[in-house]
C-alpha cells in the first residue's frame, strides 16, 4: 500500500520572493493530516470543497467551503482535511499586503476565488513587472478588504483546557457537566470556571457550543446529514440542534449545506 503524500511536500513557498503564489490540493491524493509546520510567508488556506480544520495560535479554526483561514508568517500550524476536501493555498510574502497580524477566518468573494485559481496555474517565480504580478497585487488588495467570520475555537496553551479540548474534539457528544470535567482535571468547579473564562474568554457552556459549531460546520461540509451531525454532537433531538445552529449562525443547517452547493454567501449572525 502506497502511503499518501503529505500536502506540505508539494512545494516550498519560501523559495520564491514573489508577492503571492498559489497552489491547489486535492486531499483524495494527499494525507488528510498535515503536521505542525511553519512558513516565512503568510498563508491563506481556502476550501473550494469540503472543509479543513487548522490548529494555530492556540485556537482551532474551521475552514468551510468559500472561506479561508489566514495564518501570518512564522506562526506554527497544523491541519486536518475532510476526505473530500479540495483546497487552494495562497502564500503571501511578508510586507506585501495589509493583512491581519493574527490568525483569522476570512470570507472569500467569488472574484478572489477565481484570481487565486488563476495564480495557482502560474509559474511561482514570475517577473515582478508582468501580468501575474499585477494580478497578485490586486488579489492581495481585495483580500485585505474581506470581512472576518467567527469560525474558531480558543483552546489555550493551558494543559487542563487543552486536555478538555482534545477530549471533546474526539468525542463531541460527551455532555459531561463542568463539575464532572473539574473532577477529571483535578480542580474545583469554581476554579475551572474561572480558568476557562481567563484562558478562552468564554464560559464553559458557550465554549462547548462553539466547539459544536466548529464540528457541525466541518461535518456538514464533508457531506454528513443534519440528523447524523445532531447525533454526533449528542443532541437529544434534531430540532434542538437546528435551533442552536440557527441562533448562532442565522441560518439552519440545511440552508448552510445549500450554500455550499451554490457557492452563495451564507448569513452569519454577529
Amino acid at each position: 500500500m502506497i502511503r499518501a503524500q503529505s500536502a506540505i511536500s508539494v512545494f516550498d513557498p519560501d523559495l520564491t520572493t514573489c508577492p503571492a503564489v498559489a497552489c491547489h490540493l486535492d486531499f483524495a491524493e494527499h494525507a488528510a493530516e498535515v503536521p505542525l509546520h511553519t512558513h516565512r510567508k503568510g498563508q491563506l488556506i481556502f476550501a473550494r470543497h469540503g472543509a479543513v480544520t487548522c490548529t494555530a495560535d492556540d485556537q482551532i479554526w474551521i475552514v468551510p467551503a468559500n472561506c479561508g483561514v489566514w495564518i501570518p508568517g512564522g506562526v506554527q500550524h497544523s491541519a486536518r482535511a475532510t476526505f473530500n476536501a479540495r483546497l487552494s493555498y495562497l502564500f503571501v510574502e511578508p510586507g506585501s499586503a495589509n493583512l491581519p497580524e493574527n490568525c483569522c477566518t476570512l470570507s472569500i468573494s467569488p472574484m478572489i476565488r477565481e484570481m487565486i485559481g488563476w495564480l495557482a496555474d502560474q509559474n511561482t517565480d514570475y517577473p515582478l513587472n508582468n501580468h501575474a504580478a499585477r494580478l497578485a497585487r490586486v488579489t492581495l488588495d481585495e483580500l485585505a478588504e474581506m470581512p472576518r467570520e467567527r469560525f474558531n475555537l480558543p483552546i489555550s496553551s493551558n494543559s487542563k483546557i487543552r486536555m478538555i479540548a482534545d477530549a471533546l474534539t474526539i468525542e463531541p457528544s460527551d455532555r459531561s457537566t463542568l463539575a464532572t470535567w473539574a473532577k477529571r482535571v483535578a480542580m474545583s468547579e469554581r476554579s475551572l470556571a474561572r480558568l476557562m473564562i481567563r484562558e478562552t474568554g468564554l464560559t464553559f457552556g458557550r465554549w462547548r457550543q462553539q466547539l459544536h459549531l466548529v464540528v457541525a460546520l466541518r461535518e456538514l461540509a464533508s457531506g454528513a446529514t443534519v440528523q447524523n451531525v445532531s447525533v454526533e454532537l449528542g443532541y437529544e433531538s434534531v430540532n434542538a440542534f437546528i435551533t442552536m445552529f440557527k441562533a448562532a449562525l442565522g441560518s439552519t443547517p440545511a440552508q448552510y449545506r445549500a450554500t455550499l452547493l451554490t457557492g452563495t454567501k451564507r448569513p452569519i449572525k454577529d
Side-chain angles (χ1 to χ4, degrees):
M1 180 177 175
I2 299 175
R3 189 172 183 179
Q5 183 184 32
S6 172
I8 59 175
S9 65
V10 174
F11 76 96
D12 184 353
D14 290 341
L15 295 178
T16 175
T17 58
C18 290
V21 294
C23 69
H24 295 317
L25 289 175
D26 186 334
F27 274 77
E29 302 170 359
H30 294 89
E33 188 80 30
V34 180
L36 194 67
H37 64 287
T38 187
H39 309 287
R40 176 177 58 82
K41 289 181 181 291
Q43 180 179 9
L44 180 77
I45 302 176
F46 168 38
R48 290 176 173 268
H49 188 73
V52 61
T53 303
C54 297
T55 301
D57 201 22
D58 286 334
Q59 304 213 37
I60 296 174
W61 305 84
I62 179 69
V63 191
N66 302 308
C67 276
V69 63
W70 166 247
I71 303 170
V75 175
Q76 284 195 322
H77 56 282
S78 61
R80 184 170 186 82
T82 56
F83 73 95
N84 63 341
R86 294 198 298 272
L87 308 181
S88 291
Y89 288 176
L90 178 71
F91 297 99
V92 181
E93 183 70 12
S96 295
N98 185 26
L99 290 168
E101 296 180 358
N102 300 311
C103 296
C104 62
T105 309
L106 298 173
S107 178
I108 302 298
S109 69
M111 181 171 72
I112 290 179
R113 176 190 176 98
E114 294 306 314
M115 289 193 292
I116 291 175
W118 189 87
L119 280 173
D121 294 331
Q122 307 308 304
N123 189 296
T124 57
D125 273 320
Y126 52 80
L128 298 182
N129 59 352
N130 76 347
H131 180 61
R134 291 190 292 273
L135 186 70
R137 294 189 188 99
V138 173
T139 302
L140 295 177
D141 286 345
E142 287 297 314
L143 186 61
E145 298 298 319
M146 288 295 100
R148 300 189 188 191
E149 299 195 20
R150 295 182 294 178
F151 294 139
N152 62 298
L153 176 74
I155 53 176
S156 166
S157 58
N158 181 276
S159 61
K160 295 183 185 294
I161 301 298
R162 181 75 67 152
M163 184 187 305
I164 297 172
D166 289 345
L168 286 177
T169 300
I170 295 170
E171 191 58 60
S173 62
D174 187 338
R175 289 288 179 161
S176 298
T177 64
L178 179 63
T180 300
W181 280 111
K183 290 179 181 178
R184 291 174 183 172
V185 298
M187 295 182 72
S188 71
E189 182 178 356
R190 181 175 296 181
S191 295
L192 179 57
R194 288 198 298 262
L195 179 67
M196 181 66 71
I197 291 174
R198 184 173 72 244
E199 291 293 320
T200 71
L202 301 172
T203 64
F204 175 74
R206 181 68 186 87
W207 179 86
R208 181 161 58 183
Q209 182 189 77
Q210 188 71 6
L211 180 143
H212 284 173
L213 288 170
V214 166
V215 173
L217 290 168
R218 182 191 66 205
E219 294 305 304
L220 290 169
S222 72
T225 66
V226 175
Q227 182 171 354
N228 285 347
V229 175
S230 174
V231 170
E232 181 175 351
L233 297 179
Y235 281 86
E236 294 183 357
S237 70
V238 175
N239 285 339
F241 166 62
I242 292 172
T243 298
M244 181 280 293
F245 191 99
K246 186 174 183 179
L249 298 184
S251 64
T252 67
Q255 289 169 337
Y256 173 79
R257 285 192 67 189
T259 65
L260 296 180
L261 297 175
T262 62
T264 57
K265 181 78 171 90
R266 61 199 165 280
I268 301 295
K269 187 175 181 179
D270 290 330

